[in-house]
Amino acid sequence: TMTPSVPRQECYPGPRRLCGVMGCREIEEQARRAGSSCHIFGHSHIACDREVEAIRYVQHPLGYPNDYHRKHKPMRVWGDARAPDLGVKEDKEPAPTLSDGIWASLEREVRESKEKEMPRPPGNWQKDDQMWENNHSPSDHRAAELALRADLGFDAKKVSEMWSAPPPKKGLAVKITSMADTSQSIVVNITNDHTVKQLRDRISEQVGRGPASKIMLSFNGENCLQDNVLLSSIEDEVLGGLSLMGLDLRPPKEIDVRIVHKTSEKPQAIVVRVMDNSTVLEVRKAVMAKLGECMLSNCKIVKSIGKGSFQSMPDGERLGGKSELGFLGRSLPEPKAVITVRFTTGGRPSDVFDLELDAGSSVDALRGKLIASAVEQGKPGCAPAELVVSRGGDNLSSDTQLWFHEELAVDFRPTAPARAAPPPAA
């Protein structure tokens, strides 16, 4: 199918201020009723070749000579260079038999019509097939034009105010669905005088996760909506629901957050368990409870703002995916790393036990601790090189540091004995 005008807003990637006059639902509905698989259109002078809901929409504007985005060669919409010869040469324009017939039918209908002709309204009309601007100066008939406007009741100021006036304020219930998992969705209540950015902020606030700057909203996962777009300008599309990327919509869950002292000479840190949508204030209270502290002012959560400088984080700010936070105030305990070791021999689990190390200890230190523990228990000794430490199937290097609670697998791989040197030749 083909139309001069843009069939739907998704086919217009141009300035947002013009989106309100781009797209026509009637054209879109006609194309779908006709069973169109490809719809060709024009009008906006901006190229488009995309598929939306099983229809391919194409605009390939040759444009005006001064259009910076004009195309210089025609585009083959179907087929390719290997397409069979259809008997039409590229250098010869096909005869427009269909369009000639349509125009002939229209002209015949006009000539044979018995309806009374309507009088031409007053105005500046071109004469003798000449362009109007070639026969008149801009000041010609200005007074008559203004008088005509007055007779017709046209008020330019009122029209301008009408078009620039905001639409009536009303509430919207917007369904937000995660693209990563379509079973995750929420409904956000917001008024149509808000922008897309304010909608993102509302989503972050309602879910309790963020930051909102990571949220991307779109229609069916295509063309992310710009921050400054008013919801009233895309109201019908918004009510159909929006797709979201960059934020987890699942219910809150417990996570471990590491709290690290930023000014202590020796490493000081603790781990607190909070909900992943907790605020900074809730984290501070969890730290107080774990330390037995009664003064909230002694437990400050901070962020670095330069070398050796820190700034308190607002109490209302949420974790937003952070798993480690800076701390200032009272001292924290020197951390210990509790390593849960699953010892395997030939790939089969054997002993599972916990070892305590200083936080930040290396994998080499863990190997030494394991060997010492084996000797104490009367088990056969082994060399550090024979203990392969892995996390989640990935082998760890000797200098990998271990913090807090880790679950590691240790495999015993004895090195092959050195071969005896052959006796010297006689």
Side-chain angles (χ1 to χ4, degrees), residues 68-320:
Y68 69 91
H69 45 60
R70 68 193 296 257
K71 304 298 181 180
H72 298 284
K73 293 182 179 180
M75 174 184 180
R76 187 190 296 271
V77 177
W78 60 85
D80 54 26
R82 299 181 299 277
D85 184 8
L86 301 179
V88 179
K89 296 183 178 180
E90 295 290 343
D91 57 349
K92 182 180 179 181
E93 184 178 352
T97 54
L98 179 60
S99 61
D100 283 349
I102 292 174
W103 278 114
S105 175
L106 290 173
E107 290 174 351
R108 184 171 60 253
E109 184 177 343
V110 170
R111 285 195 303 268
E112 297 174 358
S113 175
K114 305 300 182 183
E115 298 291 335
K116 183 179 179 181
E117 293 184 0
M118 296 180 64
R120 172 180 284 184
N124 292 331
W125 298 94
Q126 64 184 29
K127 299 176 181 179
D128 303 326
D129 295 327
Q130 298 295 318
M131 294 298 291
W132 185 87
E133 56 265 27
N134 293 337
N135 294 329
H136 301 81
S137 68
S139 61
D140 285 351
H141 309 298
R142 179 62 176 168
E145 182 179 341
L146 293 176
L148 176 61
R149 288 189 178 189
D151 290 341
L152 295 175
F154 178 82
D155 187 329
K157 185 177 180 181
K158 287 185 178 179
V159 171
S160 176
E161 291 175 351
M162 178 186 69
W163 283 108
S164 60
K169 183 177 178 179
K170 65 178 182 179
L172 304 175
V174 185
K175 183 177 181 181
I176 309 295
T177 303
S178 171
M179 287 188 63
D181 182 357
T182 54
S183 65
Q184 299 179 29
S185 64
I186 61 170
V187 175
V188 178
N189 294 304
I190 193 170
T191 53
N192 62 344
D193 58 341
H194 287 74
T195 63
V196 170
K197 183 180 184 304
Q198 291 169 319
L199 174 60
R200 287 174 21 193
D201 293 339
R202 185 70 62 84
I203 294 171
S204 177
E205 179 183 349
Q206 183 168 325
V207 176
R209 299 188 181 99
S213 58
K214 290 186 177 180
I215 297 175
M216 291 184 286
L217 297 173
S218 61
F219 305 123
N220 300 321
E222 298 183 355
N223 285 355
C224 291
L225 300 177
Q226 301 299 314
D227 283 352
N228 59 348
V229 176
L230 275 172
L231 298 182
S232 59
S233 66
I234 51 174
E235 190 172 309
D236 291 339
E237 292 80 359
V238 166
L239 290 176
L242 297 177
S243 299
L244 173 143
M245 293 185 292
L247 192 70
D248 189 356
L249 298 180
R250 288 176 294 184
K253 61 181 179 181
E254 285 190 335
I255 60 170
D256 287 333
V257 179
R258 183 166 62 181
I259 309 298
V260 180
H261 206 295
K262 289 297 185 181
T263 58
S264 61
E265 294 182 359
K266 292 183 178 181
Q268 294 183 2
I270 61 171
V271 174
V272 293
R273 180 163 284 257
V274 294
M275 305 304 290
D276 66 342
N277 63 348
S278 298
T279 62
V280 168
L281 179 59
E282 290 169 334
V283 174
R284 292 174 67 189
K285 290 180 178 179
V287 173
M288 286 179 61
K290 186 154 188 175
L291 296 176
E293 175 64 50
C294 58
M295 296 288 291
L296 184 63
S297 58
N298 289 336
C299 301
K300 298 177 181 177
I301 302 299
V302 299
K303 60 182 177 182
S304 177
I305 57 173
K307 188 175 181 180
S309 300
F310 304 95
Q311 181 182 45
S312 294
M313 295 177 65
D315 281 345
E317 184 174 335
R318 296 190 182 272
L319 284 176

Side-chain angles (χ1 to χ4, degrees), residues 343 370-371 373-375 377-383 386-387 412:
F343 220 104
L370 288 171
I371 292 172
S373 176
V375 170
Q377 298 176 28
K379 295 182 179 179
C382 61
E386 295 174 338
L387 297 179
F412 174 59

